[in-house]
Amino acid sequence: MVRSDSIAITADVLVLGGGPAGTWAAYMAARAGCKVVLADKGYCGSSGATAASGTNLWQLHAQPEQREAEIAKFLARGSSLAKREWLQAVQAHTDHGTLELIRLGYPFPKDLNGQPIRQSLQGPEYMRLMRKTIQQAGVRILDHAPATRLLRDADGAGGAEGLLVQSEGAWRVVARSVVVATGGCAFLSGALGTNVLTGDGLLMAAEAGAALSGMEFSNEYGLASGFSSVTKNFFFLWATFTTEDGTVLEKRDKRSIARLLSRQPVYAVLDKADPSIQRAMRATQPIFFLPFDRMSIDPFTQRFPIALRLEGTVRGNGGIHLTGADCATTVPGLYAAGDAATRELVAGATTGGGSINASWAMTSGRIAGQAAASYALGLSPRRQAMHPAAEALEDHDHTLDAAAVERLIADVQAEVIPFERNLFRTVPGLHDSLGRLHALWRTTSRAASASPLARDRLRLREAAAMAATARWMYASALQRKESRGMHVLEDFPTERPELANRLLVSGLDEFAFRYEEQSQHDKKEVSR
């Protein structure tokens, strides 16, 4: 039933998500001549992980040998799962994208020769510019309009429907192609900018029949001060870590720090940063220092407590599986970009956080937008009546009030946030958590909200998406009986060469798994 305050739109391309990947996708599709609608869960331009802080880009080099060295580095650290052709694409699109940003007016700092230094972006300025740019390109933006279901017919994806949180209405967009750029899932752990990143796009894509990939590589934790939500791992390269009694930690890796944090407080001081590094830190990431300045703490001379905050698939690599170089998924007409898509293609089994993620968002957004536009413009105008994906889940057998939903979210968090569950993985522990997560999925996915309010209905959907994401993570981790990259299974501590393939998972109530066969080109890369 369509409410009187609902919005119904027909478009060529629908983009879900208003972060860097989504806005680049919308821009490229609009430039191709498409009618584009972008729906954002928050306010496009100020919502999400990028808008909240600064971000580095993959360093661009002019010389071919330097570019090759950067590619070789990521191939080596990727545990045989990264792809050369995708890394080359990221280099090319970061180059073209940053030049486009200069043309659009982004104020990159300049070197002594007056040339723009295209190595980092200030999130607020970047996303403000991208919002302005897509508006000028003719993109219609729906703010505070979270998508809840994809629409499809027998031929593939054909739009989505969602909520209008501020007006208590609903929206429905029928489109010829869809780009999912809704970000990853950080399980409402409190990391800065991740309050809207609850795995919604992963669930919608899976409901439509898409496969996911790399979900076992989704247990990344970010370093932060104990009183801040800002996770900036890079700054801690200049830190000295100590226990409460001042003992300096010899092991600085996250697993060692996490083991100690489980028993006692850990402190840090950024005393290894010389004055020039300190100035650069403050210039590139001013938001990192705001909590310190408010508390009159000098992080370069005074130690402060630290924390590890789960960032899940945001800094991990799991996401929607891509079938080719055009960011297409296993569902015709459905494309994925940014943290909603798998980043194994560029980061392998290691974290996608930092510069490679920022460049990936730009690259995949540009590619997905172009591909979605080509698909839409080449599609016959005849389409069958669209229906919500996974209609079986519309049959609700119980209702949940707001308090019950919050308890369910806390129950999901209890399975994924603790180090002993997600970081220090064991086969019995994963089975134990997975059993409870299956029950949480059954409860959240078959429930209707007892409240008519859009925010409460959205919250229930978020609970279901987080439960689904956690299940895919742990079920995939149990399938990969080895330790590779960030996935360390203590029962199987070594890397198994025969498992040097991407693991795909699909399904909702029950899962299907398969390892993607490597191409001959990939095998040659592994042997180098």
Side-chain angles (χ1 to χ4, degrees), residues 472-508:
W472 289 316
M473 285 167 46
Y474 284 1
S476 296
L478 284 168
Q479 286 289 315
R480 186 176 285 281
K481 288 186 167 56
E482 64 164 354
S483 291
R484 183 180 296 270
M486 70 175 69
H487 166 61
V488 178
L489 194 54
E490 299 195 356
D491 316 69
F492 297 87
T494 59
E495 192 174 284
R496 295 168 59 186
E498 69 271 22
L499 297 184
N501 296 306
R502 284 167 286 277
L503 176 62
L504 278 59
V505 58
S506 57
L508 297 168

Side-chain angles (χ1 to χ4, degrees), residues 149-199:
R149 300 282 192 211
L150 289 179
L151 301 176
R152 67 163 300 158
D153 62 10
D155 295 326
E161 58 187 17
L163 302 169
L164 297 171
V165 176
Q166 292 186 322
S167 66
E168 294 296 335
W171 60 267
R172 179 183 173 96
V173 176
V174 174
R176 296 184 175 190
S177 61
V178 180
V179 178
V180 177
T182 51
C185 182
F187 298 97
L188 299 175
S189 64
L192 183 67
T194 64
N195 59 306
V196 294
L197 305 178
T198 51

